[in-house]
């Protein structure tokens, strides 16, 4: 039509005609009913026969709702899951019965303690000779409190459990469990656990269903190299109905290799890995173990199945790290990327802080981080008394005097000791199996503090967990987090998971804009 007008041709403009409403007589566009919207609404009510109030059963303990006959759905207030639950309550009965099509649904705010949930539905229905009529109406859901089967059993007997998962790691520290606890919290993997108990060498998780325990064991197997076995014990037996009640136990053992451990690979394992090592360090542990030769920067990844086929123990662990003073650094190769981390081979001259008069020579993979005057943590093979059977099988092996593991910031942190961190971690609600002595509690606190330092120094560790803003931290001190002296810290943008700005801070920000 636009081209015809530009060419100067006569064009007939089409107009939409109007008709009079058969009820009130006002002009309107033609429709199948020949009635305006107001008259059609007065004549037809498509919500007739639909329930305006629905009763739902809510479990206050686990915050779940009953979908008859016996399915419980866990969802929070005004969540998408709860809206889907409310939609299905009326769709499966009212909408199908009255041949109504649901278009939209949204929550209407109510007081949380009112035990009422209001949802505004938008529905459509064909009326009066193929005329589609759309209308909105509100359904009020009344909550009746009632506990689900699992919560009822827990309330009747808190010690009544069906399956238990026993996580164990036979090492001298708890840093692995601190990290595993944060991964479990982020993925809400222990949401079905009735009770969580902290044991001397691990954690016990108690579940009301065997399937929940199996799912939890599968989750742990995806984040750590583990091996598991299970057993069952007969609790009761009904001869008439032939029903058996068992209690299930799942024993899950985490490998003894941890990050920063020094390992002497067995001859068979070293040969299968292309004659790697034999002295290697563990750089990362997930469901696989990342190993690297600090002298040649060769690396490999060992999965859980291959490890448990030929298990081995670390030669030296993190509790045997010694602090060194770096005297000189000479780079011998360019930077190499291994598993997302950068390393540079270098020859270093170091001296133990406890014996500065003795100069040691070693090769390290930390050439890109160290410079003269720095401090480093490493393993003292010059003065260590190692009694390892695998190490004795390598005849003619020349051990280095020292193997550096990581750069140390302890001297710098001494100036900030006692100051709170601007971030914090959440923790599982665990019960203690037995009270700890003062020495044991100090040991656990020391392990936890070292775990927090590892999170500050290693961004890869923070990638899989959630860090939260510490409300007790004073904003005026925020500038001291990254001040000065090369101290690793957690960036503020990684703390947005729990960051809650007050109204005053938002108002000040808007005024600045």
């Amino acid at each position: 039509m636009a081209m015809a007008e530009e060419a100067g041709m006569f064009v007939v403009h089409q107009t939409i005609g109007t008709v009079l409403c058969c009820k009130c007589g006002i002009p309107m566009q033609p429709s199948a009913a020949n009635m305006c919207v107001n008259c059609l609404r007065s004549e037809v009510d498509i919500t007739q026969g639909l329930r305006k109030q629905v009763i739902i059963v809510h479990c206050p303990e686990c915050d779940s709702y009953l979908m008859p006959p016996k399915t419980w759905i866990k969802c929070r207030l005004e969540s998408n899951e709860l809206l889907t639950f409310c939609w299905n309550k009326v769709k499966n009965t009212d909408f199908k019965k009255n041949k109504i099509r649901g278009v939209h649904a949204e929550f209407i705010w109510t007081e949380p303690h009112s035990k009422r949930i209001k949802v505004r539905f938008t529905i459509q229905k064909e009326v009066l000779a193929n005329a589609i009529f759309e209308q909105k109406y509100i359904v009020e859901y009344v909550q009746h409190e009632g506990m689900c089967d699992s919560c009822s059993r827990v309330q009747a007997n808190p010690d009544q459990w069906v399956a238990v998962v026993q996580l164990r790691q036979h090492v001298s520290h708890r840093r692995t469990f601190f990290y595993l606890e944060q991964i479990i919290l982020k993925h809400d993997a222990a949401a079905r656990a009735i009770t969580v108990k902290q044991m001397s060498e691990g954690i016990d998780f108690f579940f009301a269903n065997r399937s929940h325990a199996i799912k939890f064991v599968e989750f742990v197997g995806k984040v750590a190299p583990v091996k598991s076995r299970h057993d069952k014990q007969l609790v009761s037996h009904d001869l008439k109905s032939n029903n058996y009640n068992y209690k299930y136990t799942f024993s899950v053992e985490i490998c003894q290799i941890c990050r920063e451990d020094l390992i002497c690979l067995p001859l068979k394992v070293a040969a299968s890995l292309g004659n790697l090592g034999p002295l290697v360090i563990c750089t990362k542990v997930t469901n696989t173990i990342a190993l690297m030769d600090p002298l040649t920067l060769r690396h490999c990844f060992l999965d859980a199945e291959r490890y448990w086929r030929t298990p081995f123990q670390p030669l030296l662990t993190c509790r045997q790290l010694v602090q060194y003073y770096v005297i000189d650094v000479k780079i011998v190769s360019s930077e190499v990327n291994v598993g997302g981390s950068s390393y540079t081979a270098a020859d270093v001259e170091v001296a133990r802080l406890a014996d500065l008069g003795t100069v040691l020579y070693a090769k390290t993979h930390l050439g890109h981080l160290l410079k003269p005057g720095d401090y480093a943590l490493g393993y003292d093979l010059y003065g260590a008394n190692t009694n390892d059977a695998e190490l004795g099988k390598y005849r003619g092996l020349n051990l280095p005097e020292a193997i550096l593991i990581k750069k140390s910031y302890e001297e710098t942190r001494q100036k900030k000791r006692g100051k709170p961190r601007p971030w914090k971690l959440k923790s599982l609600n665990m019960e203690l199996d037995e009270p700890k002595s003062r020495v044991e509690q100090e040991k656990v606190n020391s392990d936890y503090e070292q775990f927090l330092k590892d999170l500050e120094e290693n961004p890869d560790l923070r990638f899989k967990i959630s860090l939260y803003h510490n409300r007790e931290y004073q904003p005026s001190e925020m500038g001291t987090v990254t001040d000065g002296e090369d101290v690793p810290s957690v960036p503020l943008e990684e703390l947005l998971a729990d960051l809650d700005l007050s109204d005053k801070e938002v108002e000040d920000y808007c005024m600045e804009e």
Side-chain angles (χ1 to χ4, degrees):
M1 183 180 293
M3 296 178 60
E5 291 180 354
E6 292 177 359
M9 299 175 60
F10 176 74
V11 178
V12 178
H13 294 276
Q14 297 181 356
T15 59
I16 300 176
T18 59
V19 296
L20 299 180
C21 175
C22 64
K23 295 287 291 184
C24 62
I26 64 172
M28 55 167 283
Q29 294 182 2
S31 65
N34 285 331
M35 282 193 294
C36 63
V37 176
N38 294 330
C39 295
L40 189 61
R41 186 176 289 112
S42 64
E43 290 289 329
V44 180
D45 183 15
I46 63 176
T47 64
Q48 186 175 2
L50 301 180
R51 292 178 297 173
K52 306 301 189 299
Q53 190 176 73
V54 180
I55 296 176
I56 57 177
V57 181
H58 172 251
C59 178
E61 297 295 328
C62 59
D63 203 16
S64 57
Y65 294 85
L66 175 63
M67 176 63 75
K70 55 180 181 179
T71 303
W72 290 87
I73 302 174
K74 187 174 182 180
C75 43
R76 295 176 297 176
L77 283 176
E78 297 194 1
S79 62
N80 293 332
E81 293 81 6
L82 182 58
L83 187 62
T84 303
F85 170 79
C86 295
W87 177 281
N88 292 332
K89 289 289 289 186
V90 295
K91 175 186 176 183
N92 298 332
T93 54
D94 298 1
F95 288 1
K96 288 185 177 181
K97 181 180 178 181
N98 295 274
K99 297 181 180 180
I100 289 176
R101 176 174 174 265
V103 179
H104 182 68
E106 60 183 356
F107 285 111
I108 299 177
W109 186 84
T110 55
E111 291 286 349
H113 61 271
S114 65
K115 306 298 181 183
R116 298 291 190 276
I117 300 175
K118 291 185 178 181
V119 181
R120 181 187 291 114
F121 291 98
T122 303
I123 58 176
Q124 292 179 350
K125 186 178 181 181
E126 181 180 349
V127 296
L128 298 179
N130 299 325
I132 304 298
F133 185 61
E134 183 175 295
Q135 188 175 346
K136 296 181 179 181
Y137 81 110
I138 298 175
V139 178
E140 183 182 55
Y141 295 85
V142 182
Q143 292 186 10
H144 285 188
E145 302 296 343
M147 286 191 294
C148 60
D149 296 338
S150 60
C151 293
S152 299
R153 289 195 297 266
V154 173
Q155 289 295 328
N157 184 6
D159 296 329
Q160 187 174 3
W161 50 270
V162 176
V164 58
V165 179
Q166 300 174 341
L167 281 181
R168 296 292 183 269
Q169 186 185 33
H170 304 294
V171 294
S172 60
H173 57 83
R174 297 189 63 89
R175 289 160 60 183
T176 301
F177 290 104
F178 292 143
Y179 182 64
L180 190 59
E181 178 185 8
Q182 298 305 316
I183 297 180
I184 292 173
L185 284 171
K186 181 174 182 178
H187 297 277
D188 205 15
R192 300 281 187 174
I194 298 174
T195 310
V196 181
K197 284 187 178 181
Q198 179 178 338
M199 311 301 287
S200 59
E201 289 188 347
I203 307 175
D204 287 354
F205 296 84
F206 298 88
F207 297 91
N209 291 320
R210 177 174 175 267
S211 60
H212 298 160
I214 294 175
K215 187 176 180 181
F216 182 77
V217 172
E218 292 175 351
F219 172 80
V220 175
K222 294 178 181 179
V223 298
V226 300
K227 71 173 181 178
S228 63
R229 66 182 186 88
H230 64 276
D231 201 353
K232 62 181 180 180
Q233 180 182 5
L234 181 64
V235 178
S236 62
H237 174 212
D238 189 352
L239 295 175
K240 294 183 179 179
S241 60
N242 202 26
N243 290 332
Y244 294 82
N245 292 325
Y246 292 97
K247 281 193 173 183
Y248 301 90
T249 302
F250 295 84
S251 178
V252 181
E253 182 181 352
I254 305 174
C255 78
Q256 300 184 30
I257 305 301
C258 299
R259 195 174 60 88
E260 299 175 355
D261 283 352
L262 179 64
I263 305 161
C264 179
L265 294 176
L267 288 170
K268 184 178 179 180
V269 176
S272 66
L273 298 177
N275 291 324
L276 181 70
L279 289 181
V280 296
I281 59 175
C282 177
T283 58
K284 190 176 183 180
V285 178
T286 55
N287 56 348
T288 60
I289 305 173
L291 303 175
M292 185 183 68
D293 187 343
L295 306 181
T296 62
L297 300 188
R298 291 181 59 198
H299 67 283
C300 71
F301 295 92
L302 191 65
D303 57 16
E305 182 181 356
R306 294 177 64 185
Y307 171 79
W308 290 112
R309 196 182 304 153
T310 310
F312 50 87
Q313 298 181 356
L315 179 65
L316 296 173
T317 64
C318 60
R319 289 197 176 278
Q320 298 165 288
L321 288 172
V322 178
Q323 195 165 11
Y324 291 92
Y325 178 77
V326 180
I327 301 175
D328 190 19
V329 179
K330 294 181 180 179
I331 304 297
V332 297
S333 70
S334 58
E335 190 170 314
V336 178
N337 189 285
V338 177
S341 301
S342 299
Y343 302 101
T344 303
D347 293 330
V348 293
E349 296 181 18
V350 295
R352 290 171 295 188
L353 286 185
D355 184 15
L356 291 176
T358 303
V359 178
L360 305 177
Y361 300 89
K363 289 185 177 181
T364 182
H365 58 292
L366 304 176
H368 62 298
L369 294 177
L370 298 179
K371 59 183 183 294
D374 287 343
Y375 295 90
L377 291 174
Y379 294 112
D380 182 16
L381 299 181
Y382 177 78
N385 184 12
T386 58
N387 185 15
D388 187 79
E390 299 298 334
L391 186 62
K393 295 179 182 179
Y394 290 93
R395 298 180 179 179
L397 178 64
N398 294 323
L399 295 177
E401 296 179 332
I403 293 181
L404 303 184
I405 299 299
K406 62 180 180 179
K407 185 176 179 180
S408 175
Y409 302 91
E410 200 61 34
E411 296 295 326
T412 307
R413 283 196 173 100
Q414 292 288 343
K415 303 177 181 178
K416 300 182 180 181
R417 187 174 298 275
K419 294 184 179 180
R421 289 180 170 88
W423 54 276
K424 64 179 181 179
L425 299 173
K426 293 184 178 181
S427 59
L428 290 171
N429 186 17
M430 289 189 288
E431 301 177 1
L432 291 177
D433 181 54
E434 56 184 14
K436 295 181 180 295
S437 63
R438 180 179 178 183
V439 176
E440 292 177 342
Q441 189 61 41
E442 290 178 354
K443 181 180 176 181
V444 173
N445 294 339
S446 176
D447 289 340
Y448 189 71
E449 179 64 24
Q450 186 59 47
F451 170 67
L452 297 181
K453 294 177 182 178
D454 292 342
L455 290 180
E456 291 176 336
E457 297 174 6
N458 195 335
D460 292 338
L461 288 179
R462 302 195 300 265
F463 180 73
K464 294 184 178 181
I465 67 175
S466 297
L467 285 78
Y468 300 93
H469 179 68
N470 187 5
R471 300 182 185 277
E472 299 179 358
Y473 186 80
Q474 298 297 329
S476 59
E477 300 178 7
M478 190 65 73
T480 65
V481 179
T482 56
D483 278 351
E485 314 195 0
D486 256 350
V487 181
S489 60
V490 180
L492 182 62
E493 56 267 19
E494 296 185 21
L495 310 180
L496 295 180
D498 200 34
L499 186 60
D500 185 16
L501 297 178
S502 62
D503 295 337
K504 185 177 183 303
E505 291 175 341
V506 174
E507 182 180 352
D508 294 342
Y509 177 77
C510 295
M511 292 178 62
E512 292 177 1
E513 291 291 329

